Amino acid sequence: MTTLRLEKLAHSYKANPAGPQDYALKEINQIWQTGGAYALLGPSGCGKTTLLNILSGLVTPSQGRVYFDDRDVTELPTEKRNIAQVFQFPVIYDTMTVRENLAFPLKNRGMDATFIKTRVDEIASLLDLTRDLDRRAKGLTADAKQKISLGRGLVRPDVAAVLFDEPLTVIDPQLKWELRSKLKEIHRKLAVTMIYVTHDQTEALTFADKVVVMSEGEVVQIGTPEELFEKPAHRFVGHFIGSPGMNFLPCVIEGTKAQIGQFAVELSAAYAATAQANIEMGIRPDFVTLSAPGKGFPIQIDRIDDLGRNRIAHVRLAGHKLAVTVPPSLDTSRSEMTIAFESSRIGIFADGKRLEPQSRGGA
Amino acid sequence: MKPYNNRAWFLVLPVFLIVAFSAILPLMTVVNYSVQDTFGNNEFFWNGIGWFKELLDPKSELGGRFIDAMGRNFIFSFLILAIEIPLGIAVALAMPRQGIGVSISLVLLALPLLIPWNVVGTIWQVFGRADIGLMGWALTGMGIDYNYVSGVLAAWITIIMMDVWHWTSLVVLLCYAGLRAIPDAYYQAARIDGASRWAIFRAIQLPKMNRVLVIAVLLRFMDSFMIYTEPFVVTGGGPGNATTFISIDLVKIALGQFDLGKAAALSLVYNLIILTVCWVFYTIMTHFENAERRMQS
C-alpha cells in the first residue's frame, strides 16, 4: 500500500517557461495517505487534470518528483505504475463483451485464466455488472460503461490508487447520485486510494474525505469538507465552496471590532491586521440572519430568492452587497429590516488569505 | 384556404430530366442494342436474348472470352484488395499524428491520386522498360528476366504494382481519417491497461476504422473491377490475352469489331456483376453492426 508523495512538483506545457504564468501547475509539496478518498476541486483550467495526468504517468512533470511510498515513479510509464484511471467519457472496447473488457488488463499482463475468471466475477458483482457480463459492452448505458472503465482498474490486484477525471460528466443527473454512492461503497470495501477530479463542489464534498482546492495551478487549501466550509484558508475557497459563496466585506480592524462603513461588527477574537493589507471580513450566508427592525444592522433588501428548502436575501450593508439567510417564519414584507452576524463564524482575510486570531477576547 | 394538390412534384422535374438524359436514356440505348444485331449501315435485326445466351455459355466464342476475362478481373481485384487494404492500414498507422509531418505526408500521399489514369499508365510503361526505364533497367541489370511485353508474370506484376502505387493512398487517407477520430482517452486507457501495440490495434484501432474500411473496400473493388486505362496503356491487354480484362475486351468488341449487340449485352452483364458484388460486400460488412443494433432494440 502506498502513500503518495509529491516533491516540488510543477509542470509547464511550454518548453521554456518564462514565469509563473506559463505553469499549468505551480510547485506543490504533498503527502497523501493510503486508502484516502481525495478530491481535486477547482474551476476549469486550474491544473487539476494536469496533476492527475502526472500521477497516472500520462504527463511527465517538467520539475519535481512523484513517489509511491519510497519508489520514485516520476519517469515510470503508466502501465508500470499501480494506478488505474477513469476518464471523463467512458472508454470501453467496443468489440468485446463486458467480461472481455474486464479481463483485458489482466490478459495483457499474462495472468492465469482461472485467476482472471474469479477476479472478473468478483469485481463484476461488486459493481453490479454480473447480469451484463456476456453482453457486448458497446450497447450499454453511459453509467454502466463508466462502471466497466472503473472495473478495468479495480480488477488488477496490484492497483493502489484509482484516479477519476470528472467521471460523472456524461451521466444522467438522477444516476449521478447512485454511481457516486457506489464509488463510496467500493472505497469502503477495498482500501484503494481514490483521487477524484471535479469542478462540481457537491461531488467533491460528498465523495472525498479530503478536498484539495486548486486555483490557477496552485493548491489553495487541503481540508475536510467541514474545514473548507467553516475555515476557508483563502478568499477563493470561500467563494468557490458553498452556494451562494461566502460574503466578503471590506473592513478596518480595531481590536475585536471590524468597522464596516459606519457599522462596528463584534468579533470573537482580536486580529493583528496591518493597515497596508486589503482587509476583508468573510462570513457565510448561513451565519448571517435577516431579522426584524431594531435588532442589528440596518440594510436594504435587493431581492429574495426562494430556494425551496430555505430563502436567501440579497441585501446591502453600507453599500456592500451580501447574501443572508431568511429565517423560515420571518415576514419580509416590511421595509426596514436588519441583519445579525454570528461573531464566532466570522473570518478575517488579509489580501485574500485567512488571518489567525491573535488572542481570545472581546464579548 | 389553399387548394390541396400535387404540384410540388414539378419541383422534381429538373432532376428527373437531368437523370433521364445522363443515365436512363443512354442505358436504354444500350439495352436496345443488346437485343439486336447489326452488320453496319445502321441496319439492325432483332436477336432477342441471343447475345445473353451466348455470353453465359462458356462453350461459345463470346462466352469463353467473357468467362476468361471475368476470371482475370476477379483475380486482379482480389490481389489489389489483399495488398492495398493491409498496406493502407499499415501506412496510416505509421503516419505522424501531429506537426509538420502530417501536412507533408498528406501532400505526398495525395500526389498519385491527382495524376490522370493514362499518365499513370505511361509513367509505368516507361518505368518498366529495360532500355530507358529505371525499374526495367535495374531489374534487367540484376540479371532478372523482366519484360512486361512478353512475360505474363512480369505484365501482371507491373499492373498490380502500378495500381498499388496509384490507389493505396486512397485507403491510407480513409484509414488515417478514421484513426484521427479516436479520442486520446482510448490510447491512455489502453496504456493503463497494459495493452501491447497489437492489442491496441485489435481492440481500439481496427474496430474504430470499421466504417471507413467498408468504404475503402467498396471503392477499391468497384474501381479495380472496372480498370481499363492503365493496363490498356501499359500492356494493351497482352501478352496474348494475359491482361485482357472485361473492359478491355468490351472496347475491342464494341469499337474494334463493331459488334454493338454483343458489346451492349456484355456491358449490361458487367454492370450487373459490379452491382451484385458491391451489394454482397456491403451486406456482409454491415451485417454484424445491424445484428448488434437489432439485439439492443
Side-chain angles (χ1 to χ4, degrees), chain B residues 74 218 221-222 225 271-284:
Chain B
F74 274 114
L218 279 179
F221 171 76
M222 283 191 284
F225 204 78
N271 200 351
L272 275 177
I273 293 170
I274 294 173
L275 272 177
T276 313
V277 176
C278 284
W279 178 76
V280 170
F281 263 132
Y282 187 79
T283 313
I284 293 172

Side-chain angles (χ1 to χ4, degrees), chain B residues 159-179:
Chain B
I159 56 170
I160 282 175
M161 271 172 43
M162 176 173 64
D163 199 87
V164 167
W165 177 83
H166 194 181
W167 289 110
T168 305
S169 298
L170 181 74
V171 183
V172 175
L173 294 179
L174 284 167
C175 290
Y176 187 64
L179 284 174

Side-chain angles (χ1 to χ4, degrees), chain B residues 19 44 52 72 81 135 212 224 230 245 264:
Chain B
V19 171
F44 288 91
F52 292 97
R72 283 180 215 114
L81 290 178
M135 185 178 74
V212 290
S224 64
E230 298 102 310
F245 299 111

Side-chain angles (χ1 to χ4, degrees), chain A residues 53-79:
Chain A
N53 286 342
I54 289 174
L55 294 179
S56 64
L58 296 171
V59 170
T60 308
S62 36
Q63 71 169 71
R65 317 299 301 170
V66 181
Y67 295 94
F68 290 1
D69 280 336
D70 289 322
R71 198 160 62 110
D72 184 344
V73 298
T74 318
E75 313 284 339
L76 220 57
T78 303
E79 59 273 21

Side-chain angles (χ1 to χ4, degrees), chain A residues 66 109 128 162 165 192 231 291 293 305 344 362:
Chain A
V66 181
R109 286 171 174 79
D128 301 330
V162 184
D165 190 357
V192 210
K231 290 189 170 161
S291 40
D305 293 343
S344 63

Side-chain angles (χ1 to χ4, degrees), chain A residues 165-176:
Chain A
D165 190 357
E166 309 198 14
L168 301 183
T169 310
V170 292
I171 311 295
D172 286 340
Q174 64 269 37
L175 290 174
K176 277 187 182 180

Side-chain angles (χ1 to χ4, degrees), chain A residues 225-279:
Chain A
E226 294 76 48
E227 282 166 358
L228 297 182
F229 188 75
E230 289 179 4
K231 290 189 170 161
H234 196 277
R235 200 175 197 281
F236 173 81
V237 180
H239 263 309
F240 197 73
I241 289 179
S243 76
M246 204 174 212
N247 298 305
F248 287 93
L249 305 163
C251 65
V252 178
I253 299 292
E254 284 160 7
T256 61
K257 282 191 165 59
Q259 192 75 32
I260 302 168
Q262 70 268 40
F263 307 110
V265 179
E266 200 67 45
L267 303 175
S268 60
Y271 290 87
T274 53
Q276 300 95 306
N278 175 21
I279 305 290

Side-chain angles (χ1 to χ4, degrees), chain A residues 289-297 299 325 327 330-331 336-340:
Chain A
T289 39
L290 195 65
S291 40
K295 284 186 180 168
F297 305 101
I299 46 91
T325 307
L330 190 74
D331 174 16
E336 292 155 343
M337 304 292 280
T338 62
I339 53 169

